[in-house]
C-alpha cells in the first residue's frame, strides 16, 4: 500500500494542473482539498495496517483471512512457527493446510518434521508426538525408500526416542550413499531430495551429537572433524557449531590431564567459532560456559601455549 501513494500523488497532481488550466483558481482550490483528503485517507489506512505488516506473526494470518486459498501464506506461516521452535503450532497450521490442499507434495514431510520435535507438557506427550512422526517417516519411506532426507529425519526421531542403534543405521545409510556417489565421480546431487555437501555435514553433525550423548567421544570427535572437512567456509553457522562441539569433546577427552596441544586446539576452535558466527546461540552459550568452567590461570596457559604453537 505504501508504494501506491507516490503513484496516486502523481496522478492527483496531474489532475490539479488540468483543473487549474480549465477551471481557474476556484477549481484549483477544490482540487487541492480533494488531493489532501485523498492522501490523508490513504495514509491513515496504511498506518492502520503497519502493525499487521510489521511481523510475519501477524502478516501471514492476515493474508490467510483475506484469501483462505493462499497456499504460500499458509506454508510460510507454518514454517515461521517451526523456525521459532513452536512446533505444536506448526503442526496445527500444516493440518489446516492439508485439509484444504490434501495433495500438497511437501506438507506431509514438513508436518512430520515438526511433529518429531514437539515439546509436550510431559515427557510422555513428547514421546507420543515423536512416535507419531516416526510412523509418518516410515510410511513415506515405504513409498520412496531411497530418499536420504527421510532417513535423516527418521534418524533424528529415533535419537529423540533414544533408539540409538536405529538412528545410527539411518545416519550411516545416508553417509554411505553420499560417499559412494562421490567415489563414482558423479555430479553433485542437484535434486532437492538428495544430500548435498552441506547436508552431508549436517548428517555428520547429528551423528556426532548422538555419539557424544553416548559418551563415545573418539567417534564423536571423528564426526565433528568430518563436518569441518565437508562443509564449506560459507556455511559459517554449521562450521561454528561443529567447532564448539568438537571443542567440548576434546575437553571431555582430556579430563584432568590437560594435554597442552589439545588445550591450544580447544582455545583456537572457540576463537574461530565465535569469529565465524558471533550471534549463533549455540556458539555463544558454549563460549560463555567455557569462560565459566575454566579459571583465569588456565585460560592464560591456553593463550601462552597457543602462541608457542603458532610461532
Amino acid at each position: 500500500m505504501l508504494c501506491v501513494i507516490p503513484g496516486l500523488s502523481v496522478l492527483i497532481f496531474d489532475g490539479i494542473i488540468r483543473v487549474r488550466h480549465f477551471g481557474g483558481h476556484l477549481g484549483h482550490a477544490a482540487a487541492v482539498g480533494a488531493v489532501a483528503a485523498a492522501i490523508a485517507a490513504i495514509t491513515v489506512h496504511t498506518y492502520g495496517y503497519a502493525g499487521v505488516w510489521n511481523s510475519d506473526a501477524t502478516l501471514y494470518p492476515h493474508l490467510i483471512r483475506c484469501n483462505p486459498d493462499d497456499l504460500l501464506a499458509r506454508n510460510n506461516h507454518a514454517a515461521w512457527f517451526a523456525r521459532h521452535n513452536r512446533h505444536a503450532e506448526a503442526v496445527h497450521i500444516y493440518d489446516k493446510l492439508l485439509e484444504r490442499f490434501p495433495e500438497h507434495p511437501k506438507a506431509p514431510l514438513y508436518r512430520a518434521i515438526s511433529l518429531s520435535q514437539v515439546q509436550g507438557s510431559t515427557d510422555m506427550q513428547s514421546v507420543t508426538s515423536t512416535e507419531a512422526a516416526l510412523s509418518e517417516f516410515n510410511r513415506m519411506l515405504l513409498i520412496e525408500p531411497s530418499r536420504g532426507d527421510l532417513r535423516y529425519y527418521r534418524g533424528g526421531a529415533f535419537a529423540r526416542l533414544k533408539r540409538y542403534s536405529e538412528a545410527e543405521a539411518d545416519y550411516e545409510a545416508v553417509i554411505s550413499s553420499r560417499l559412494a556417489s562421490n567415489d563414482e565421480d558423479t555430479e553433485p546431487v542437484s535434486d532437492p531430495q538428495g544430500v548435498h555437501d552441506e547436508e552431508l555435514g549436517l548428517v555428520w553433525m547429528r551423528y556426532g551429537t548422538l555419539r557424544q550423548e553416548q559418551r563415545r567421544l573418539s567417534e564423536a570427535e571423528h564426526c565433528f572433524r568430518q563436518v569441518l572437512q565437508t562443509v564449506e567456509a560459507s556455511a559459517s553457522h554449521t562450521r561454528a557449531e561443529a567447532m564448539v562441539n568438537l571443542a567440548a569433546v576434546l575437553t571431555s577427552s582430556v579430563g584432568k590431564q590437560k594435554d597442552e596441544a589439545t588445550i591450544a586446539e580447544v582455545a583456537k576452535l572457540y576463537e574461530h567459532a565465535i569469529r565465524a558466527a558471533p550471534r549463533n546461540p549455540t556458539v555463544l552459550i558454549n563460549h560463555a560456559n567455557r569462560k565459566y568452567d575454566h579459571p583465569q590461570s588456565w585460560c592464560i596457559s591456553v593463550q601462552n601455549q597457543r602462541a608457542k604453537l603458532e610461532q
Side-chain angles (χ1 to χ4, degrees), residues 38-221:
I39 292 179
I42 294 171
T43 302
V44 169
H45 185 70
T46 301
Y47 184 77
Y49 278 94
V52 173
W53 299 331
N54 188 50
S55 168
D56 288 348
T58 53
L59 173 61
Y60 294 130
H62 171 73
L63 294 175
I64 294 168
R65 283 193 299 272
C66 293
N67 180 13
D69 291 326
D70 190 336
L71 175 60
L72 183 61
R74 288 181 180 274
N75 189 72
N76 288 345
H77 192 204
W80 183 87
F81 280 123
R83 286 197 304 273
H84 290 80
N85 293 320
R86 295 167 61 175
H87 294 288
E89 291 159 288
V91 170
H92 175 71
I93 299 299
Y94 282 127
D95 285 339
K96 294 293 185 183
L97 187 155
L98 286 167
E99 286 178 8
R100 208 168 191 94
F101 305 97
E103 301 302 321
H104 190 286
K106 290 291 187 180
L109 172 59
Y110 298 153
R111 180 188 180 278
I113 293 169
S114 283
L115 187 61
S116 71
Q117 300 179 63
V118 168
Q119 294 289 345
S121 56
T122 65
D123 289 341
M124 182 57 67
Q125 289 178 342
S126 297
V127 168
T128 300
S129 295
T130 306
E131 288 178 340
L134 189 58
S135 296
E136 288 298 304
F137 292 134
N138 287 335
R139 181 185 62 79
M140 288 183 269
L141 276 166
L142 284 174
I143 300 171
E144 299 179 272
S146 63
R147 281 185 57 174
D149 58 341
L150 291 175
R151 287 189 175 275
Y152 169 74
Y153 292 119
R154 189 177 69 171
F158 278 134
R160 287 199 70 194
L161 295 170
K162 301 191 182 304
R163 294 166 59 173
Y164 294 125
S165 61
E166 293 160 293
E168 289 177 12
D170 272 340
Y171 292 149
E172 287 176 357
V174 176
I175 291 169
S176 298
S177 175
R178 178 59 184 175
L179 294 179
S181 68
N182 287 341
D183 290 341
E184 294 169 3
D185 295 325
T186 57
E187 292 294 321
V189 178
S190 58
D191 186 343
Q193 295 180 356
V195 181
H196 304 276
D197 285 345
E198 185 174 352
E199 291 171 343
L200 178 58
L202 293 175
V203 181
W204 278 117
M205 181 86 82
R206 284 278 190 95
Y207 202 3
T209 302
L210 184 69
R211 287 170 162 173
Q212 189 177 9
E213 289 177 5
Q214 298 172 282
R215 304 296 298 171
R216 294 160 61 179
L217 298 181
S218 61
E219 296 170 78
E221 177 185 345

Side-chain angles (χ1 to χ4, degrees), residues 281-296:
T282 301
V283 173
L284 290 172
I285 290 171
N286 281 274
H287 190 63
N289 288 343
R290 170 178 169 267
K291 287 187 174 182
Y292 178 80
D293 290 339
H294 302 295
Q296 183 177 4

Side-chain angles (χ1 to χ4, degrees), residues 6-16:
L8 286 176
S9 300
V10 171
L11 293 175
I12 292 170
F13 279 109
D14 178 67
I16 290 175

